[in-house]
Amino acid sequence: MTASTSRRSALRLGGAAVAAAVAVPVLSSPAGARSHGFDPAPGSDGVGDPLFPTLGNGGYQVVHYDLTFDFTPVTYDFTAVVKINAKATQDLSAFNLDTDGHTIDAVAVGGRTADWALSAGKSGQELTVTLGRPLHRGQAFTVEIRYHGNGKAPRLGLTGWKFGTDGGFASAAQSSRADTFLPCNDTPSDKATWTFHIGAPQGYVATANGELLDRTPRADGSTVWHFALRERMATELIGIAVVKGTYLYGSSHRGLPLRHIVPQGQEDRYGPIVARTADHLAWLEAKFGRYPFSVYGLHIYDG
């Protein structure tokens, strides 16, 4: 991949989808958006987070990510589409998303093909999207990015991919490596809700953050696993995986659903370990307060 690439291409959407947890109007013009002087400018480089000031991008706030991610084990190839619902926090002429190691196939804003450029950034790559129609501060908009790649492809920064002996992968993205899985605003300061649609072939299971909504079988024997996280979460906590694993279930002492994945065929070994999770969670909640998400669990993986 070259350090600087530009192209203009129409976006065609595909893949399985379920209703998004958050509905945001496209390119709406909120009341009073034009009451101030309109002076569009590019979003800032970095959001000024107190711990990670150079991470992420300014000019907008993400509301929701919807990720369709189809992975092929052993070869580590994937194709993906991410749809981002966001709101401009300034009059905006262009904005950046963090990405690293992906081939960008198409970008659209509000359903319209957008100009974009790919360049080297501080910790990975920057996907710069130039708006044909600048946005007013407070205006809601959508971004759709179609891309593909390989989990073991070279990256400019550290990778968030972890590989096991089963030919699958698990993500370990803290604190700024979610951009090795999807173009995003990769800073702990910008939290959003999420939906995931993860494709896995026969013999593998997929997982992601949030509640498991459904599984859609496909004619080739593979399955798309649909998850929704309705609480706002930072990109660094993304927890997607495609592995040869077994789901184990339980509940916390206050009734929170627990969902674990352990290596396939090793349920007897790891079942007693994940069974201790309810006690661990109760101890943590006594120290730090109520766990803020709707499901919790462990993923034990040889990677």
Side-chain angles (χ1 to χ4, degrees), residues 69-71 73 198-202 204-206 218 221-225 242-243:
F69 195 90
D70 206 359
F71 177 75
I198 311 296
Q202 190 171 19
Y204 288 79
V205 300
R218 297 188 290 200
S222 64
T223 300
V224 180
W225 301 64
V242 174
V243 297

Short mmCIF file of all heavy atoms in Angstrom, two decimals, residues 69-71 73 198-202 204-206 218 221-225 242-243:
data_model
loop_
_atom_site.label_atom_id
_atom_site.label_comp_id
_atom_site.label_asym_id
_atom_site.label_seq_id
_atom_site.Cartn_x
_atom_site.Cartn_y
_atom_site.Cartn_z
N PHE A 69 -18.32 -7.69 9.06
CA PHE A 69 -16.93 -8.16 8.98
C PHE A 69 -16.95 -9.64 8.66
O PHE A 69 -17.40 -10.46 9.46
CB PHE A 69 -16.24 -7.90 10.32
CG PHE A 69 -14.74 -7.98 10.29
CD1 PHE A 69 -13.98 -6.86 10.02
CD2 PHE A 69 -14.09 -9.18 10.54
CE1 PHE A 69 -12.60 -6.91 10.01
CE2 PHE A 69 -12.71 -9.25 10.53
CZ PHE A 69 -11.95 -8.11 10.26
N ASP A 70 -16.48 -10.01 7.46
CA ASP A 70 -16.52 -11.40 7.00
C ASP A 70 -15.09 -11.92 6.92
O ASP A 70 -14.30 -11.45 6.10
CB ASP A 70 -17.20 -11.45 5.63
CG ASP A 70 -17.85 -12.79 5.35
OD1 ASP A 70 -17.75 -13.68 6.21
OD2 ASP A 70 -18.45 -12.96 4.28
N PHE A 71 -14.77 -12.90 7.76
CA PHE A 71 -13.39 -13.37 7.93
C PHE A 71 -13.23 -14.80 7.44
O PHE A 71 -14.10 -15.66 7.66
CB PHE A 71 -13.02 -13.30 9.42
CG PHE A 71 -11.65 -13.82 9.74
CD1 PHE A 71 -10.52 -13.09 9.44
CD2 PHE A 71 -11.50 -15.07 10.35
CE1 PHE A 71 -9.25 -13.58 9.74
CE2 PHE A 71 -10.24 -15.56 10.66
CZ PHE A 71 -9.11 -14.81 10.35
N PRO A 73 -10.76 -17.93 7.99
CA PRO A 73 -9.64 -18.46 8.78
C PRO A 73 -8.55 -19.05 7.90
O PRO A 73 -8.75 -19.37 6.73
CB PRO A 73 -10.31 -19.54 9.64
CG PRO A 73 -11.75 -19.15 9.69
CD PRO A 73 -12.05 -18.54 8.35
N ILE A 198 -20.72 -10.49 12.18
CA ILE A 198 -19.43 -11.14 11.97
C ILE A 198 -19.64 -12.48 11.27
O ILE A 198 -20.33 -13.36 11.79
CB ILE A 198 -18.70 -11.36 13.31
CG1 ILE A 198 -18.69 -10.09 14.16
CG2 ILE A 198 -17.29 -11.88 13.05
CD1 ILE A 198 -17.94 -8.94 13.56
N GLY A 199 -19.05 -12.62 10.08
CA GLY A 199 -19.18 -13.85 9.32
C GLY A 199 -18.08 -14.84 9.66
O GLY A 199 -16.91 -14.48 9.71
N ALA A 200 -18.47 -16.11 9.91
CA ALA A 200 -17.52 -17.16 10.27
C ALA A 200 -17.90 -18.45 9.54
O ALA A 200 -19.09 -18.78 9.44
CB ALA A 200 -17.52 -17.40 11.77
N PRO A 201 -16.92 -19.21 9.03
CA PRO A 201 -17.24 -20.45 8.31
C PRO A 201 -17.66 -21.57 9.25
O PRO A 201 -17.55 -21.47 10.47
CB PRO A 201 -15.93 -20.77 7.61
CG PRO A 201 -14.88 -20.16 8.47
CD PRO A 201 -15.49 -18.92 9.04
N GLN A 202 -18.15 -22.63 8.66
CA GLN A 202 -18.57 -23.80 9.42
C GLN A 202 -17.42 -24.32 10.28
O GLN A 202 -16.27 -24.40 9.82
CB GLN A 202 -19.06 -24.90 8.47
CG GLN A 202 -19.75 -26.06 9.15
CD GLN A 202 -20.40 -27.00 8.14
OE1 GLN A 202 -20.04 -26.97 6.95
NE2 GLN A 202 -21.33 -27.80 8.57
N TYR A 204 -16.44 -22.79 13.04
CA TYR A 204 -15.96 -21.66 13.83
C TYR A 204 -17.14 -20.91 14.43
O TYR A 204 -18.26 -20.95 13.91
CB TYR A 204 -15.15 -20.69 12.96
CG TYR A 204 -13.80 -21.21 12.54
CD1 TYR A 204 -13.69 -22.12 11.49
CD2 TYR A 204 -12.63 -20.81 13.18
CE1 TYR A 204 -12.45 -22.61 11.08
CE2 TYR A 204 -11.39 -21.29 12.78
CZ TYR A 204 -11.31 -22.19 11.74
OH TYR A 204 -10.08 -22.67 11.35
N VAL A 205 -16.87 -20.22 15.53
CA VAL A 205 -17.86 -19.33 16.12
C VAL A 205 -17.32 -17.91 16.05
O VAL A 205 -16.11 -17.68 16.01
CB VAL A 205 -18.20 -19.69 17.58
CG1 VAL A 205 -18.76 -21.11 17.67
CG2 VAL A 205 -16.98 -19.54 18.49
N ALA A 206 -18.23 -16.95 16.02
CA ALA A 206 -17.85 -15.54 16.05
C ALA A 206 -18.36 -14.92 17.35
O ALA A 206 -19.32 -15.40 17.95
CB ALA A 206 -18.44 -14.80 14.85
N ARG A 218 -25.78 -19.28 6.03
CA ARG A 218 -25.64 -19.01 4.60
C ARG A 218 -25.50 -20.31 3.83
O ARG A 218 -25.19 -21.36 4.42
CB ARG A 218 -24.46 -18.08 4.35
CG ARG A 218 -24.63 -16.71 5.00
CD ARG A 218 -23.57 -15.71 4.59
NE ARG A 218 -22.27 -16.02 5.15
CZ ARG A 218 -21.28 -15.13 5.28
NH1 ARG A 218 -21.46 -13.88 4.89
NH2 ARG A 218 -20.11 -15.48 5.79
N GLY A 221 -22.60 -22.83 4.21
CA GLY A 221 -22.36 -23.43 5.52
C GLY A 221 -21.84 -22.45 6.55
O GLY A 221 -21.76 -22.80 7.74
N SER A 222 -21.45 -21.27 6.14
CA SER A 222 -20.99 -20.25 7.09
C SER A 222 -22.18 -19.59 7.78
O SER A 222 -23.33 -19.78 7.38
CB SER A 222 -20.14 -19.21 6.38
OG SER A 222 -20.92 -18.49 5.44
N THR A 223 -21.89 -18.80 8.81
CA THR A 223 -22.93 -18.15 9.60
C THR A 223 -22.51 -16.71 9.87
O THR A 223 -21.34 -16.43 10.10
CB THR A 223 -23.13 -18.88 10.94
OG1 THR A 223 -23.53 -20.24 10.68
CG2 THR A 223 -24.20 -18.20 11.80
N VAL A 224 -23.50 -15.80 9.83
CA VAL A 224 -23.28 -14.42 10.27
C VAL A 224 -23.88 -14.28 11.66
O VAL A 224 -25.06 -14.57 11.87
CB VAL A 224 -23.92 -13.42 9.30
CG1 VAL A 224 -23.66 -11.99 9.78
CG2 VAL A 224 -23.36 -13.60 7.90
N TRP A 225 -23.05 -13.83 12.60
CA TRP A 225 -23.44 -13.65 13.99
C TRP A 225 -23.70 -12.16 14.23
O TRP A 225 -22.84 -11.33 13.93
CB TRP A 225 -22.33 -14.14 14.92
CG TRP A 225 -21.96 -15.59 14.73
CD1 TRP A 225 -21.41 -16.16 13.62
CD2 TRP A 225 -22.10 -16.64 15.69
NE1 TRP A 225 -21.19 -17.50 13.84
CE2 TRP A 225 -21.60 -17.83 15.10
CE3 TRP A 225 -22.56 -16.68 17.01
CZ2 TRP A 225 -21.58 -19.04 15.76
CZ3 TRP A 225 -22.53 -17.90 17.68
CH2 TRP A 225 -22.06 -19.06 17.06
N VAL A 242 -13.10 -14.64 15.61
CA VAL A 242 -13.59 -15.82 14.90
C VAL A 242 -12.64 -16.95 15.27
O VAL A 242 -11.45 -16.91 14.94
CB VAL A 242 -13.63 -15.61 13.37
CG1 VAL A 242 -13.99 -16.91 12.66
CG2 VAL A 242 -14.61 -14.51 13.00
N VAL A 243 -13.15 -17.97 15.99
CA VAL A 243 -12.30 -19.01 16.55
C VAL A 243 -13.03 -20.35 16.55
O VAL A 243 -14.25 -20.41 16.38
CB VAL A 243 -11.89 -18.67 18.01
CG1 VAL A 243 -11.07 -17.40 18.05
CG2 VAL A 243 -13.11 -18.57 18.91
#
